Amino acid sequence: MRNLTAIVTTAIIVLLLATSSMFIVNESQTAIVLKLGKIVRSDLKPGLHFKWPIVEDVRRFDRRILTLDDAPERYLTAEKKDVEIDFFVKWRITDVTTFYRVASGGDEGAAKARLTPIVKNALRNEINQLDLRAVVSSGRSDLTGRLLKNINVAAATLGVEVLDVRIKRI
């Protein structure tokens, strides 16, 4: 009887250790493995992966395109006219290690909070150089192209890439 109990207990412990050492990364995710808080492996592809139980921890991140939609903001044009611009931004994580270390510690909300001022400053700089007619006219595609270029320079330090900036309403 004691041998049976020992065998069952050992089997349960082995099973628990085996299941806690495996993890799955979904198709829409990427992941990093942390060993005592330091990044050991990063940018893990979808599938079944293994880790040391208790010692290593896994953080998963969304690889899909994410949306940043903030409240409308007031800007001044080159002729000092006040315009209110409502915009949204499509972005994604490109460098998981940088995203985890610099941008957010793995929190998407913190990354959005760091990305929002970058977008608003780039938009302010572009609007300040244009008159009201140029802002409202069909030059939006030129405006968004310049915005993307300026935003991505600063966003690269966060480990993200801005794919699109759209002005919903002026």
Side-chain angles (χ1 to χ4, degrees), residues 17 46 53 59 64 70 80 96 115-116 157 168:
L17 285 175
R59 300 278 174 99
R64 296 177 289 185
D70 208 27
K80 304 297 182 206
V96 181
L115 185 60
T116 300
T157 62
K168 294 191 288 189

Side-chain angles (χ1 to χ4, degrees), residues 32-79:
I32 59 172
V33 177
L34 303 168
K35 185 175 186 176
L36 302 174
K38 293 186 179 181
I39 298 174
V40 180
R41 292 179 288 170
S42 64
D43 202 21
L44 297 175
K45 303 297 180 203
L48 179 65
H49 299 277
F50 297 93
K51 67 178 180 79
W52 289 104
I54 302 170
V55 177
E56 292 183 337
D57 186 28
V58 177
R59 300 278 174 99
R60 293 174 184 86
F61 302 99
D62 204 348
R63 288 181 26 192
R64 296 177 289 185
I65 296 173
L66 305 169
T67 302
L68 169 68
D69 192 4
D70 208 27
E73 186 86 12
R74 292 191 175 273
Y75 299 101
L76 290 176
T77 63
E79 50 201 19

Side-chain angles (χ1 to χ4, degrees), residues 86-103:
D86 192 9
F87 64 92
F88 68 92
V89 176
K90 296 290 187 178
W91 63 285
R92 69 174 170 200
I93 301 169
T94 55
D95 184 5
V96 181
T97 305
T98 304
F99 181 78
Y100 179 77
R101 284 185 185 153
V102 176

Side-chain angles (χ1 to χ4, degrees):
M1 186 69 173
R2 287 185 189 202
N3 288 340
L4 182 63
T5 305
I7 291 172
V8 169
T9 305
T10 306
I12 289 174
I13 291 172
V14 168
L15 183 65
L16 288 174
L17 285 175
T19 57
S20 67
S21 68
M22 294 184 282
F23 65 96
I24 296 174
V25 178
N26 294 331
E27 292 175 359
S28 64
Q29 296 175 331
T30 186
I32 59 172
V33 177
L34 303 168
K35 185 175 186 176
L36 302 174
K38 293 186 179 181
I39 298 174
V40 180
R41 292 179 288 170
S42 64
D43 202 21
L44 297 175
K45 303 297 180 203
L48 179 65
H49 299 277
F50 297 93
K51 67 178 180 79
W52 289 104
I54 302 170
V55 177
E56 292 183 337
D57 186 28
V58 177
R59 300 278 174 99
R60 293 174 184 86
F61 302 99
D62 204 348
R63 288 181 26 192
R64 296 177 289 185
I65 296 173
L66 305 169
T67 302
L68 169 68
D69 192 4
D70 208 27
E73 186 86 12
R74 292 191 175 273
Y75 299 101
L76 290 176
T77 63
E79 50 201 19
K80 304 297 182 206
K81 292 192 178 180
D82 192 30
V83 292
E84 184 176 80
I85 297 180
D86 192 9
F87 64 92
F88 68 92
V89 176
K90 296 290 187 178
W91 63 285
R92 69 174 170 200
I93 301 169
T94 55
D95 184 5
V96 181
T97 305
T98 304
F99 181 78
Y100 179 77
R101 284 185 185 153
V102 176
S104 64
D107 183 22
E108 187 179 311
K112 285 182 179 181
R114 300 267 319 260
L115 185 60
T116 300
I118 293 171
V119 174
K120 287 183 178 181
N121 286 337
L123 190 57
R124 180 176 296 112
N125 290 340
E126 288 296 324
I127 298 297
N128 285 341
Q129 296 174 7
L130 301 173
D131 61 351
L132 184 60
R133 185 172 299 177
V135 171
V136 177
S137 73
S138 63
R140 283 190 189 181
S141 62
D142 296 336
L143 176 65
T144 56
R146 290 191 308 267
L147 279 172
L148 277 175
K149 182 179 162 188
N150 294 334
I151 292 170
N152 277 324
V153 169
T157 62
L158 302 177
V160 301
E161 175 189 17
V162 175
L163 303 171
D164 197 12
V165 178
R166 293 293 170 161
I167 297 174
K168 294 191 288 189
R169 186 182 53 144
I170 297 176

